[in-house]
Amino acid sequence: MKIIIAGAGEVGTHLAKLLSREEQDIILIDNDEEKLKELDANYNLMTVVGNPTAFKTLAQAQVHQADLFIAVMPFETRNIIACTIASKLGAKKTLARVDNYEYLLPKNKAFFDSIGVNELIYPEKLAAEEVITALRHTWTRNWFELCNGELIVLSVKLHENAQILNKKLYELTTADSQFHIAAIKRLHETIIPRGNDEIKVGDIAYFTTTPNHIREIQQLSGESETEIHKIMIMGGSRIAIRISNYAPGDMAIKLIESDRQKSYRLAEYMHDVIIIQGDGRNVDLLKEEGIRDMDAFIALTDSSETNILACLTAKELGVKKTIAEVENLQFISTAERLNIGNIINKKLLAASRIFQLLLDEDSSNAKCLALSDAEVVELVAKEGSKITKAPVKDLKLPADLTIGGLVRDGHGMIVTGNTHIQPNDHVVIFCLDTALHKIDKLFN
Amino acid sequence: MPKINFRVILKFIGLLLCLEAAFMLIPYLVALIYDEGDAMAFLLSILITAGTGGLLFYFTRNDRNEVGKRESYLIVTSIWFFFTLFGMLPFCLMPNPLSIADAFFETVSGLTTTGASIVPDVEALPHGILFWRSFTQFIGGMGIILLTIAILPILNHQGGLILFNSEVTGISHEKLKPKIGETSKKLWSVYVSLITILTLLLCLGPMTPFDAICHAFGAMATGGFSTKQASLNHWDSAYVDYVITIFTFIAGINFALVYRAITGDVKRLFSNEETRWYTFIVVGATLVVTAGLYVTGQNSSLEETLRVSLAQVVTVITSTGYTIGDYVAWGPFFTTVFLLLMFFGACAGSTCGGAKIDRLVVLAKNTRNEFYRVIHPNAILPVRVNGKAISHEVVSKILAFILVYVMVLIAGSTILTALGLSIEEAFGSTLSCLSNIGPGAGATGPTGNYAFIPDVGKWLLSFIMLIGRLELFTVLILFTRYFWKNS
């Protein structure tokens, strides 16, 4: 498949690197030669220097052969124009990153289709949704529902009180067990565990399970659920505005923003939110505004370092749930080891959303969750594909890939060695980045 | 010492040695057909090469193909070295074997497409050996790594790309397709189709099919090994001269541009500055040589004089080095003209050696700008090539390259004079080897060979050919302190 990415910003670069490892032809366009030079010399992709909204540049990148055109430049107007031109020049499908919530409304879909923009993504909205999910399931790090909630993928950081520590995985699996540990994140690395592996303190474990067995996992991991009613947000970013829109009525939000002008503007958008002007790093201010009574603290400033430190402070002051926005990809694995609850990264969210659209092209229905070095993918097994040929234990699956669970006729179930996958099953696959291309062979 | 992943280096060496063993099957078949007693040498070579390569690969097969900067330089240099080391086995095992130094020299000369020979009587060699000698040029012509990337999917990833960048010549490396495996396949398809066409054309002339194939390898890879002692003079045919000249000229153009021209984008080929300079230099040098031949009264008919001049100019500038005329016999002025052509060679991204015309263009323009700045010190004058401004870093990289090129040249010549060669021969052979041409000056000129040079000199020249082929830095970086030091 030929994919053209316009804009070598952080989303574009991350996506290009990720996709270049697979059997995709990637062409990356940007104005800045310096940015492209390093990527061109070190990654298996092609770069074109030039303005992505210029006909000449797009023709040079042979946009007429493109299966997908992704515009992720900093300005939404340029993204939309680039997509319009690209689609008129013959790109099969286009996607633009936008900053305006209004564009995403279903009633405007027809308009964007008519100007050649097929898909829109708004990373801030994705981030806000992620935050809301995290607030609903406070004891997990990740929560991912598949097929209308029939199958759930969740991750938990395991502390000393967890019951499943230092046990071999095969001891945990009994005949009627209804969960599957599909991946473990330990230090900087994600592991696909086998029966002989053990879970250690500080690991983040990824479970797949059905909705009825959530409590079981919660008990095993020694976590308890907190109901969230009071939230403090630090940093009046666009994500904060979206959160205030999506938050259920029983959640009261207090927002701390350091810029006075901006605080006034925010007050216009956010009616039910109490806006405090001040520096969120100031502990006295936090105490004064009642941080001790808060159920959750969300740090969304532009600085990843500030967000991480602020969350640590909030934890010390007794806030149960903290969420930090960490935009530097390099910080994520370090931040995960610290005692911060959830980490939000717009780039990973945007990239995984785009990735999902890509898989959609090949398979009828697919979902995808991006972790920093692994992916969770939901795919439909096709008639006659390799994965339906034998029970799972006889498939000789690669070591960097595992099947988490499946949904058959609308019912979620856990996959064991004896499960024989049938055509049209929705299958949840965990795989490390190195194994992405192997999925295709199994399912097609 | 920094952490260098030696296992991955061994893995690549193992893999490529297996490939080399597979290549040796072809001369083995040739040797079986002609049955001149050299088949055993090939069989043994294949077994040794495949055995070593297979073992290396077997023990490292599960290692990840992660290649960093240091590994990539080590892999490229050591692969060229080991290819030579195992490629010389047939020469050492054949009925009248060559000495180790001679065999190494001959193999490295073939792989780097230099075409300098130490064999006193080429026609006495069995056909299998002659074929292998020509075939090494084919393998090395586009680059061993490039070939591997094109045929083995194992290298079609990030690591393969980094290796590709350490092997391909020229300032910048143009990609034809997003995937490096695809780019390599396109380049190789151009290379192989040109060789096929050339072979067919040569078969129509006075050559036997065997000679035609061997000379097609020599011409398109710009190597210059011939199957006859008198090289192209053996046939004394205008047809052969013209066909070989046209194809070596094409071999001197950037293959990416040739590919684009074949697939319809002819404009880009002719509007490219490097191609223009190349054509201009070839035409200019031909006219100078023809005029010189007339002035010194060495001319024959106008057609023949022009043809011989053109053929000799093209064969030298593209670093092929077939013998059509003999510039050494023509006189010292002609030797100087041809040594000048040797220095820069032809275009980057081709199979040619030398410092490459793209560097010459940048240097010339930069020098012009410096003169202009004497009068207008505040002028902002970027060096423009093909309408694009070249950054200062690139210009300074090129200046450093030329400096190192000259330093290697001087050092090599000095050592050779210490071994008893005349200044002319020492300088000519070093330049010829560094630029991968073949014929040098004096006794190493077009009609001579390198057999008389002492063994130390042969090892030195072998090393110089290798650093010339890999454009200096890839090899020389291994001899710097910071490569091995962690800082």
Side-chain angles (χ1 to χ4, degrees), chain B residues 230-393:
Chain B
S231 192
L232 291 188
N233 284 343
H234 177 87
W235 285 276
D236 194 21
S237 144
Y239 174 76
V240 170
D241 288 357
Y242 278 124
V243 170
I244 294 259
T245 304
I246 292 169
F247 276 82
T248 36
F249 182 79
I250 296 173
I253 302 172
N254 186 342
F255 272 54
L257 289 173
V258 177
Y259 172 79
R260 285 185 200 277
I262 293 172
T263 52
D265 194 356
V266 186
K267 223 178 94 191
R268 194 138 152 187
L269 174 65
F270 292 111
S271 63
N272 185 278
E273 259 186 74
E274 197 183 5
T275 319
R276 288 174 165 211
W277 276 63
Y278 172 49
T279 318
F280 176 76
I281 295 173
V282 168
V283 172
T286 308
L287 292 178
V288 168
V289 172
T290 313
L293 286 174
Y294 268 94
V295 169
T296 52
Q298 303 184 59
N299 59 311
S300 43
S301 73
L302 177 64
E303 186 273 336
E304 200 186 336
T305 317
L306 260 178
R307 164 164 58 87
V308 172
S309 313
L310 175 69
Q312 194 65 52
V313 165
V314 170
T315 201
V316 167
I317 197 170
T318 59
S319 82
T320 312
Y322 278 132
T323 314
I324 297 155
D326 182 359
Y327 54 79
V328 174
W330 291 341
F333 167 71
F334 297 95
T335 310
T336 320
V337 170
F338 283 102
L339 287 180
L340 280 175
L341 290 178
M342 282 182 195
F343 191 87
F344 279 103
C347 307
S350 66
T351 57
C352 300
K356 308 286 175 315
I357 292 180
D358 61 348
R359 295 203 174 86
L360 172 68
V361 175
V362 173
L363 273 187
K365 292 191 172 185
N366 189 49
T367 313
R368 184 198 59 197
N369 289 354
E370 288 305 326
F371 272 101
Y372 187 82
R373 273 197 208 106
V374 174
I375 307 289
H376 306 277
N378 296 324
I380 300 289
L381 283 175
V383 175
R384 279 181 201 281
V385 177
N386 288 325
K388 280 203 176 122
I390 305 275
S391 72
H392 281 293
E393 288 92 44

Side-chain angles (χ1 to χ4, degrees), chain A residues 275-325:
Chain A
I275 297 172
I276 310 288
Q277 191 258 314
D279 188 344
R281 285 170 291 192
N282 183 345
V283 181
D284 291 335
L285 177 83
L286 292 178
K287 282 184 187 157
E288 202 174 297
E289 294 304 330
I291 188 152
R292 291 181 198 280
D293 303 330
M294 291 291 164
D295 301 316
F297 180 84
I298 307 167
L300 303 171
T301 67
D302 292 337
S303 150
S304 304
E305 296 90 327
T306 307
N307 294 342
I308 294 171
L309 292 174
C311 281
L312 287 174
T313 315
K315 271 265 157 159
E316 274 172 27
L317 293 172
V319 180
K320 289 234 171 54
K321 181 79 180 172
T322 58
I323 301 172
E325 182 190 355

Side-chain angles (χ1 to χ4, degrees), chain A residues 20 22 24-26 40-46 434, chain B residues 64 156-158 161-162 165 175-180:
Chain A
S20 75
E22 292 179 64
Q24 318 272 15
D25 282 355
I26 306 298
D40 190 67
N42 293 310
Y43 289 89
N44 206 354
L45 45 80
M46 194 156 117
T434 48
Chain B
R64 291 238 241 155
N156 186 12
H157 57 74
Q158 209 175 330
L161 177 78
I162 297 174
N165 279 330
K175 289 181 187 170
L176 292 169
K177 294 277 164 186
K179 283 278 175 244
I180 193 63

